[in-house]
Amino acid sequence: MMSSTLPLTWVMLYMSSAHVQGNATVNTCEKHVQYSFLFRQCKLPTTRDYALPWIVPGKTGSEVRIQLHPGITHWRRTLAQDPPVFEIPGFLTAKECSLIISQARSRGLRGARQMGAQEARTSNEASGRVAQTAFVSGGRHLLSIRHRISALTGIPLDLVLESEPVQVVMYTDGGYYHSHYDSSGDGGAGKPCCHQTWFPHTKHRCVLCRYLTVLVYLNDVEEGGETAFPVADQDHDFKISKEHTNLTEHCHRAPVAVTPEMGKAVMWYNHHMDEKTGWMGSLHRRSLHGGCNVKHGEKWIANFWINAARYVDKDKHSIYTERWE
């Protein structure tokens, strides 16, 4: 989904860094911003001589110990193999969750809009979503989280920092989001990626290019509100039906349904890897997902979408490259 009112400015805190992907070393840099003062500037890479990483999921239910920052250990648990879907409990602290919710409240929540495989439209029951949303930016906590996402996914920091703002979504009793894709399908061939295109972002002007999603639960939900993947690990050529899309009626038929838990992250790939280029390939049809009905209480989530372009456009920078506090 995409809003036409995304903020044009954002904090971008840069420090010299390097990521090793296979045999290639990828240099990235950050601008150091403390309070409102810019201390120094440095250039982002002019070429991206690396392949996008792809985490091999292992067996469903398997766990891998990972260290995302010094002294703190997390576990990455495989929930599905096709597409790879992982959960990471405790990815955010309670304080970080609270800060993000406060930012969203301050910015002002509004009815969500949807763009991607379906038309952009105001959300209501007929359009498949009942929720409110806000895009947030700024603050050292979000920068710290983006560093953590880079460590979790292996995505070089320059791509993580050039990705679109964080979308915060709030669902109340009865709120839901029927099954959808986070990224655009192959029907948009020839159109530029939205994160490399100036506003307005509409289906006629650009396509969503979101290589992967890191969704984080910002609170504990009293009941309901699972994130469901209704066609994950399907082992045949399936056809999407109402059973897959209407999560109000068919949530618990999904082979994967993640229970909300404050601070837990869910990560998955929205696209296949293009084996020839090592960059973003076609839309992963099994990445279809949605939010089941919230039965009691509120549900708050934050969507961190990692943008990547087609191989021919990989060295073009994002419109979000320059961000200020």
Side-chain angles (χ1 to χ4, degrees), residues 1 28 55 86 142 192 202 241 280:
M1 90 209 65
T28 62
I55 298 174
F86 308 96
L142 287 183
T202 68
S241 66
M280 194 171 73

Side-chain angles (χ1 to χ4, degrees), residues 151-325:
L152 169 68
T153 62
I155 300 288
L157 194 57
D158 61 287
L159 280 186
V160 177
L161 291 170
E162 287 195 19
S163 292
E164 59 197 277
V166 182
Q167 187 203 45
V168 180
V169 187
M170 188 269 285
Y171 302 84
T172 55
D173 278 4
Y176 61 87
Y177 193 0
H178 286 334
S179 298
H180 61 282
Y181 294 104
D182 278 357
S183 197
S184 296
D186 304 326
K191 295 179 183 177
C193 293
C194 289
H195 72 281
Q196 295 176 330
T197 305
W198 288 106
F199 301 99
H201 288 168
T202 68
K203 66 169 185 172
H204 302 292
R205 300 190 71 238
C206 61
V207 292
L208 298 172
C209 300
R210 296 165 174 166
Y211 178 57
L212 63 79
T213 298
V214 177
L215 178 156
V216 187
Y217 301 110
L218 302 178
N219 71 319
D220 294 319
V221 181
E222 292 180 46
E223 186 179 359
E226 298 90 345
T227 302
F229 295 80
V231 293
D233 285 338
Q234 293 286 325
D235 59 359
H236 57 277
D237 188 16
F238 61 91
K239 291 184 179 180
I240 295 175
S241 66
K242 182 180 179 181
E243 177 183 338
H244 300 131
T245 58
N246 188 333
L247 294 179
T248 296
E249 297 179 11
H250 303 290
C251 172
H252 295 290
R253 292 190 181 184
V256 176
V258 188
T259 301
E261 179 183 321
M262 180 191 290
K264 180 196 290 182
V266 185
M267 168 194 162
W268 67 90
Y269 294 93
N270 298 308
H271 286 261
H272 293 280
M273 171 75 70
D274 186 320
E275 294 183 0
K276 292 182 179 179
T277 66
W279 274 72
M280 194 171 73
S282 60
L283 182 72
H284 202 311
R285 292 182 62 231
R286 291 175 175 82
S287 69
L288 188 75
H289 65 283
C292 301
N293 287 49
V294 175
K295 296 179 180 178
H296 294 291
E298 291 183 345
K299 172 187 170 184
W300 289 81
I301 63 170
N303 285 310
F304 291 83
W305 290 306
I306 306 305
N307 299 123
R310 304 175 188 90
Y311 181 78
V312 294
D313 295 324
K314 67 182 177 66
D315 295 328
K316 292 182 181 179
H317 287 304
S318 164
I319 63 172
Y320 306 111
T321 298
E322 297 293 331
R323 296 172 183 168
W324 306 90
E325 191 165 19

